[in-house]
Amino acid sequence: MILNYIVAILLWLSVIIYAVFGGADFGAGIWELFTFGPHGRDQRNLITSALGPVWEANNVWLIYLIVGLFVAFPIVSYTLACALFIPLSLALLGVVFRGASFAFHSHIRENIRLRLFWARSFSIASTITPFLLGTVAGAVASDQITLHNGIPPLIVWWPWLNPFSLTIGFMALGICATIAASYLVVNAITVGRDDLAEDFRQRTLAAGTTTAILGIICFALMPFFARVLWDGLFIRTYAIWGVIITIVLGISAAITMYNRRYKTARFLIDMDVTAFFGTWGLAQIPYIIPPQLTVNDASSPPTTLLEFLISAILGMLLLIPSLWLLFYIFHSRSPLPPIHEKEVEGV
Amino acid sequence: MDMNIIATRSQMGMSLIFHIIFSVLGVGLPLLLCLAEGLALWHKDGTWMALSHQWTKAFAILFAIGAVSGSIVEFELTLLWPIWARDAGSIIGLPFALEGFAFFLEGIFLGLYLYGAKRLTPTIHWLCSLPIVLSGTFSAWFVTTANSWMNSPTGFQFINGKLASVDPIAAMLNPSTPFETTHMILACYVSTGFGAAAVYAAGWLHGKHDDYHKKGMLLGMTVGTIAIPLQIISGDFNARFLERAQPAKYAAMEGLIRSGRGKPLYIGGIVDVPANKVIGAFQIPHGESLISHFNFNSYSRGLDAFPASFRPPNAQVIMVHLAFDLMVFSGLFMLLIGFLFCFLYLTRKRAVPTYPWLMWGTVIAGISGFLAVEFGWLVTEEGRQPWIIYGMMRVADAANPAPWMGVSFFVFLAVYLVLGTTLVVLLLTLAHRPKPPTRWSDLIVDERQTFEIQRVGPR
């Protein structure tokens, strides 16, 4: 059914958007743990100014994914909630502490120690959450979650704590760190700090290389833990070109970053993450949770999917102009409106 | 009930008790902001502007924490109730997705509103508050339709034990929706209005006698006093609807054990179903029959009209009856204080009345607004027991059967304690910070010259 796949792709897109934008946020939190040396203080300020000013806006993509699975693929929600209750609850705690720490940290002014406590809590939550979400992704990608008579297993450990899923967890950390560092390079250039840009350029390269090495380890573990994925990639080979694109994009990103073409590098890194997730999704078709649940089996009735899709389109029609307005107003170089005599008089 | 289900229900209940406060403020505060800023621009009045600034700061924190507690609830819908999610998701998941969009819109315009003061003309800045008010109200509407559906499920059919003709939009427009959504949205305005007034009344009692506190009180009271009579009328409609749609819940609310003609109205008291008594209740003879059908000897259905496994157990009945009466009492108390305040204001040549007894009354009204929200929510949830989806699925069959629920409950309890305490401390510090200037000319200049976002400058 085509509708099932359209909705699945829509939700997969929110995974990708969350990985890119949410990943940048997580990564910024991770780098806050590594701000030291002569530029430590400036690095911290750069990170603070790079984060969204109001609240954890990028979390909406995660929430949309959770709600979208609940609407369109309720059996997936059911299976994941039963089997992966522990890592999902822990990831939720991470999300909660990140959001709360961020809000508290930016509003507490008087009490320095309390402020530092929440800053530290923010960094730790930023590190733990993507790792846990990575292991959950690993558990889904590996073919370890099996249903018996339609009933999922209750609280399983091995699917998310096996070497493959743990490697994916560390890879998630690597991806977040790489994206964030590449954003911070560009931000540093914008405010005229070449020295900070250089710091984060080296960090982008280091984090990117680490992620690539972890990717190779993943491939090595795949035949043992994720047969479905391995088959999709290398036996039936219909997703192999995704792997090639991901590798080419990764190498180009590294080269451009090395040559200090920062904006191009940042763009390529985002594209690389997109290609990475796209390849994963493609490789596990037709399964939504390998090795049993397929996209078609897990789908809600077509009316629900259609209404969900229409709601998404209408929602986007409202969201996109609003987001555009937000960015237009904050990124336009227009100065503040001048103070008119008229406004001030009258008191 | 086994411990796992108690832990699961407790965790969900705790999350909602916490989150509902932020949801209510998330809908109500934007209206106050919008009105205060509108009045400021209209009268060129610095005090109104200062109030709107102060509320904006508080709202920014509350919104961020509300986003966090909302994420918890969204996760918990599936984490704690996976079986419910599996069966209900395709029917009633849609409003949660729609709420996601409304919430994101609210966040975007809040961002504009908070950080756009430097870049927008005052009128445009004020206009940015309107989408916040609208999307907040829509959020409340969407989420409440989902709760209404659990009370009166429609939009699907069971054919041979399988779901068929699923229609999420029909599910959202179930029979309870008009009653519940109106009651919930009005509740937001009532509690935020009286709550804001209570903050300034408390300030007044602490000796802060200035125009700023008077105006804060006046606006909160006005919003609350307009909303509370409407809310009481809407509550009456709800109760009459419930008698038809969920008669067991209605009987529990009224503490009515035996069916019959000319039943008394029980006010307060502990319902003891096995003993057929409402211990310590104040009784009005024939009151129940009169109030529900305008007839002294009309017939009312009691709890005995339903088999024990189809109605709330005794412990729940006790809670539902008390919570219902306390909610009604809180509502009437707010009505009294609101009317007194407005009467005195209008008869005293529009001077804000500040008698200490009225200030104390306002503080209590502010607290009872939020208590009424919690009680009302208790009535609707506990009164539906043992069902999670009325007449369709039992709570005991919907919970996550996984072990570790008890641990999860205590972990989240700790989380809420930490978040709640920090938030209260933070709001109190905010209240004690020096107030923004209240002279119009200072305000305009201050607004656009000193508001600098922290950034890294060139070396």
Side-chain angles (χ1 to χ4, degrees):
Chain A
M1 285 264 285
I2 187 81
L3 195 58
N4 300 349
Y5 275 93
I6 294 176
V7 174
I9 289 168
L10 179 76
L11 293 181
W12 202 245
L13 276 178
S14 67
V15 173
I16 293 175
I17 297 174
Y18 185 57
V20 173
F21 292 111
D25 287 354
F26 281 129
I30 299 171
W31 287 122
E32 243 189 334
L33 282 176
F34 298 98
T35 48
F36 43 70
H39 305 150
R41 192 192 175 83
D42 286 347
Q43 286 172 355
R44 243 192 319 279
N45 285 341
L46 184 73
I47 290 168
T48 311
S49 68
L51 284 163
V54 193
W55 55 293
E56 276 241 272
N58 284 320
N59 260 340
V60 296
W61 304 111
L62 177 66
I63 299 299
Y64 196 71
L65 174 70
I66 300 280
V67 171
L69 284 176
F70 168 56
V71 181
F73 303 99
I75 295 168
V76 173
S77 300
Y78 167 58
T79 308
L80 295 182
C82 290
L84 300 175
F85 181 75
I86 305 268
L88 284 172
S89 289
L90 292 175
L92 171 60
L93 285 176
V95 168
V96 167
F97 271 96
R98 239 183 82 84
S101 314
F102 184 58
F104 290 150
H105 171 245
S106 46
H107 285 102
I108 293 173
R109 283 186 220 146
E110 287 85 353
N111 190 332
I112 301 294
R113 280 179 60 191
L114 201 60
R115 194 180 150 88
L116 276 178
F117 168 81
W118 286 110
R120 197 32 59 100
S121 148
F122 177 75
S123 303
I124 293 169
S126 301
T127 313
I128 292 170
T129 315
F131 177 75
L132 285 164
L133 291 174
T135 59
V136 168
V140 173
S142 70
D143 32 21
Q144 315 269 322
I145 299 176
T146 49
L147 285 74
H148 296 283
N149 301 324
I151 295 171
L154 291 183
I155 301 203
V156 285
W157 300 91
W158 185 243
W160 62 284
L161 288 177
N162 64 51
F164 176 76
S165 299
L166 289 178
T167 314
I168 300 268
F170 285 114
M171 239 180 123
L173 281 182
I175 290 172
C176 294
T178 315
I179 301 174
S182 76
Y183 273 74
L184 289 168
V185 173
V186 177
N187 285 1
I189 293 289
T190 319
V191 295
R193 287 292 298 265
D194 290 352
D195 51 338
L196 290 183
E198 187 54 34
D199 290 350
F200 282 104
R201 170 179 164 266
Q202 288 168 6
R203 290 173 180 196
T204 314
L205 289 169
T209 314
T210 315
T211 314
I213 294 169
L214 287 167
I216 294 166
I217 298 174
C218 247
F219 277 130
L221 291 169
M222 215 179 262
F224 308 102
F225 293 98
R227 267 322 294 199
V228 172
L229 230 59
W230 178 260
D231 283 359
L233 290 173
F234 300 109
I235 309 290
R236 287 178 290 161
T237 65
Y238 58 79
I240 190 77
W241 52 272
V243 180
I244 296 167
I245 291 176
T246 310
I247 292 172
V248 169
L249 278 170
I251 293 170
S252 332
I255 293 171
T256 42
M257 185 51 88
Y258 187 79
N259 290 329
R260 299 195 170 75
R261 303 187 57 94
Y262 300 125
K263 283 196 174 166
T264 323
R266 182 181 68 174
F267 175 75
L268 286 173
I269 289 170
D270 286 352
M271 285 299 107
D272 197 27
V273 175
T274 310
F276 173 78
F277 278 90
T279 310
W280 168 24
L282 209 60
Q284 70 169 54
I285 284 177
Y287 297 102
I288 194 159
I289 304 182
Q292 286 174 342
L293 267 182
T294 64
V295 172
N296 283 338
D297 291 344
S299 290
S300 283
T303 341
T304 307
L305 298 183
L306 197 66
E307 286 176 13
F308 178 67
L309 204 60
I310 292 171
S311 82
I313 294 168
L314 291 179
M316 282 298 165
L317 284 180
L318 279 173
L319 270 188
I320 291 170
S322 312
L323 270 176
W324 176 82
L325 185 70
L326 187 74
F327 284 110
Y328 172 77
I329 285 173
F330 284 102
H331 288 270
S332 64
R333 300 245 166 243
S334 72
L336 357 163
I339 298 165
H340 297 296
E341 291 288 313
K342 237 179 27 204
E343 287 178 55
V344 184
E345 70 194 24
V347 178
Chain B
M1 264 195 281
D2 75 279
M3 288 312 287
N4 222 31
I5 290 166
I6 293 176
T8 313
R9 288 199 73 210
S10 308
Q11 188 179 332
M12 193 76 212
M14 179 173 70
S15 303
L16 287 169
I17 283 178
F18 191 82
H19 181 61
I20 206 167
I21 295 173
F22 296 91
S23 335
V24 162
L25 289 168
V27 178
L29 262 182
L31 182 72
L32 290 188
L33 286 182
C34 173
L35 290 174
E37 199 187 3
L39 284 167
L41 293 176
W42 189 22
H43 294 302
K44 291 193 172 159
D45 184 319
T47 311
W48 284 124
M49 196 54 108
L51 276 169
S52 103
H53 283 183
Q54 189 74 357
W55 289 339
T56 310
K57 281 184 208 149
F59 185 50
I61 308 170
L62 291 167
F63 185 84
I65 300 303
V68 168
S69 68
S71 309
I72 302 182
V73 173
E74 297 276 20
F75 262 80
E76 283 177 346
L77 285 180
T78 46
L79 270 185
L80 299 182
W81 311 101
I83 301 165
W84 173 82
R86 180 192 66 194
D87 293 352
S90 61
I91 311 170
I92 201 62
L94 185 68
F96 293 103
L98 293 169
E99 195 269 346
F101 283 110
F103 175 75
F104 202 0
L105 269 183
E106 189 174 354
I108 291 172
F109 280 95
L110 179 65
L112 267 178
Y113 191 80
L114 277 177
Y115 295 93
K118 276 178 68 181
R119 291 164 182 269
L120 300 166
T121 64
T123 318
I124 303 269
H125 183 253
W126 175 67
L127 285 176
C128 280
S129 67
L130 294 180
I132 307 180
V133 176
L134 274 181
S135 46
T137 309
F138 271 101
S139 288
W141 193 83
F142 288 134
V143 169
T144 314
T145 61
N147 186 271
S148 306
W149 180 82
M150 287 159 69
N151 287 326
S152 53
T154 52
F156 62 97
Q157 283 178 332
F158 267 117
I159 297 174
N160 301 329
K162 286 198 119 189
L163 269 182
S165 336
V166 171
D167 183 359
I169 299 213
M172 283 170 70
L173 301 175
N174 63 77
S176 302
T177 292
F179 298 96
E180 263 195 56
T181 51
T182 316
H183 203 53
M184 187 69 234
I185 291 169
L186 282 171
C188 299
Y189 297 139
V190 169
S191 355
T192 315
F194 283 102
V199 169
Y200 295 102
W204 192 275
L205 287 168
H206 270 96
K208 292 176 185 162
H209 297 180
D210 52 23
D211 192 37
Y212 178 83
H213 281 75
K214 275 189 188 172
K215 282 190 166 139
M217 218 165 358
L218 182 63
L219 186 62
M221 271 295 187
T222 312
V223 169
T225 311
I226 293 173
I228 187 71
L230 298 174
Q231 177 68 332
I232 289 171
I233 295 168
S234 133
D236 186 61
F237 271 97
N238 263 284
R240 286 175 203 289
F241 168 74
L242 280 180
E243 193 186 6
R244 283 180 283 123
Q246 287 177 276
K249 181 189 276 184
Y250 181 78
M253 279 155 56
E254 300 287 31
L256 205 61
I257 301 165
R258 292 277 161 86
S259 312
R261 295 192 170 277
K263 298 302 282 187
L265 182 67
Y266 297 104
I267 297 174
I270 310 285
V271 185
D272 187 345
V273 180
N276 185 23
K277 271 194 303 198
V278 186
I279 302 155
F282 179 75
Q283 285 191 30
I284 301 176
H286 296 274
E288 165 59 32
S289 294
L290 180 67
I291 206 168
S292 50
H293 315 108
F294 307 111
N295 178 341
F296 280 107
N297 286 314
S298 61
Y299 182 80
S300 301
R301 262 195 289 182
L303 288 163
D304 66 353
F306 313 92
S309 60
F310 285 80
R311 59 171 155 86
N314 202 32
Q316 260 85 16
V317 175
I318 295 173
M319 241 192 292
V320 171
H321 176 62
L322 281 177
F324 177 68
D325 282 1
L326 284 168
M327 174 182 73
V328 173
F329 181 76
S330 312
L332 293 175
F333 182 74
M334 284 185 277
L335 183 76
L336 174 74
I337 295 290
F339 275 5
L340 278 174
F341 185 92
C342 288
F343 175 76
L344 290 170
Y345 174 71
L346 293 173
T347 51
R348 288 169 75 245
K349 296 181 186 157
R350 311 214 159 195
V352 175
T354 54
Y355 308 107
W357 61 267
L358 187 63
M359 295 298 98
W360 278 109
T362 309
V363 171
I364 297 168
I367 296 165
S368 53
F370 285 93
L371 286 179
V373 169
E374 303 284 6
F375 288 136
W377 168 76
L378 263 179
V379 168
T380 193
E381 293 303 298
E382 295 292 355
R384 195 181 54 237
Q385 299 305 310
W387 305 104
I388 188 165
I389 306 171
Y390 188 67
M392 298 273 167
M393 181 186 271
R394 284 167 190 276
V395 171
D397 300 331
N400 197 331
W404 291 76
M405 287 297 162
V407 179
S408 172
F409 168 75
F410 285 109
V411 169
F412 277 88
L413 177 65
V415 168
Y416 284 118
L417 287 176
V418 172
L419 293 192
T421 319
T422 315
L423 185 69
V424 170
V425 171
L426 203 55
L427 288 174
L428 287 177
T429 15
L430 178 67
H432 288 123
R433 268 182 208 154
K435 296 283 176 292
T438 50
R439 271 186 55 209
W440 186 247
S441 47
D442 294 349
L443 203 73
I444 289 287
V445 176
D446 179 72
E447 172 101 309
R448 282 186 229 156
Q449 286 181 350
T450 58
F451 198 86
E452 195 47 66
I453 304 169
Q454 180 190 10
R455 58 170 78 247
V456 185
R459 243 182 175 173

